[in-house]
Amino acid sequence: MGAEVEVMGPLGGWCVWTPQDGGPLLLIAGGSGAVPVMAMLRARAASVSGDPCTLLYPVRTADEVWYATELDAVAEGVRVRRLYTRTAPEGSRRPAGRISADDLLGMEPPPRTPAATSAAPSPA
């Protein structure tokens, strides 16, 4: 830990990750922001990449998880961390709440600078 990360947007732009980019990958998606992130995870799975990949996916409740079945069966080497912001299911490792620095603790540090992207719907 100790790396600084700046998160902005959504600003109407876009980010594309391809397997040729290589290296560790950190994805952060909220709600329907999982749609572009799933495309990246599928591309990573098809490439049989051995690089570490983490998806932080905050959602209000378990009923609002997009691609729940696919995320449950995600490829080896991909760590999916669902973070519930309103109501956490019984047995969750953390109580409901916004992402905090504590949620990033315990993540294995990447061996080099990771590629990172975030996607989330615009606030209403």
Side-chain angles (χ1 to χ4, degrees):
M1 300 311 319
E4 290 187 22
V5 177
E6 180 179 351
V7 178
M8 296 175 35
L11 301 174
W14 51 279
C15 170
V16 174
W17 175 87
T18 66
Q20 294 75 24
D21 293 328
L25 180 63
L26 170 61
L27 301 167
I28 304 170
S32 62
V35 174
V37 167
M38 283 306 301
M40 291 181 225
L41 287 175
R42 290 177 187 137
R44 184 192 176 282
S47 73
V48 193
S49 172
D51 293 317
C53 176
T54 299
L55 167 61
L56 295 179
Y57 187 27
V59 293
R60 291 180 185 149
T61 68
D63 292 336
E64 295 184 24
V65 175
W66 290 52
Y67 304 103
T69 302
E70 193 171 350
L71 287 172
D72 288 343
V74 76
E76 186 175 325
V78 177
R79 180 178 181 190
V80 178
R81 295 194 59 197
R82 292 183 191 166
L83 308 173
Y84 300 96
T85 61
R86 300 283 163 80
T87 304
E90 191 171 319
S92 291
R93 296 184 337 183
R94 73 184 277 283
R98 295 195 179 268
I99 292 177
S100 70
D102 289 341
D103 294 315
L104 302 176
L105 294 175
M107 292 177 56
E108 293 186 28
R112 56 190 167 140
T113 304
T117 187
S118 65
S122 297

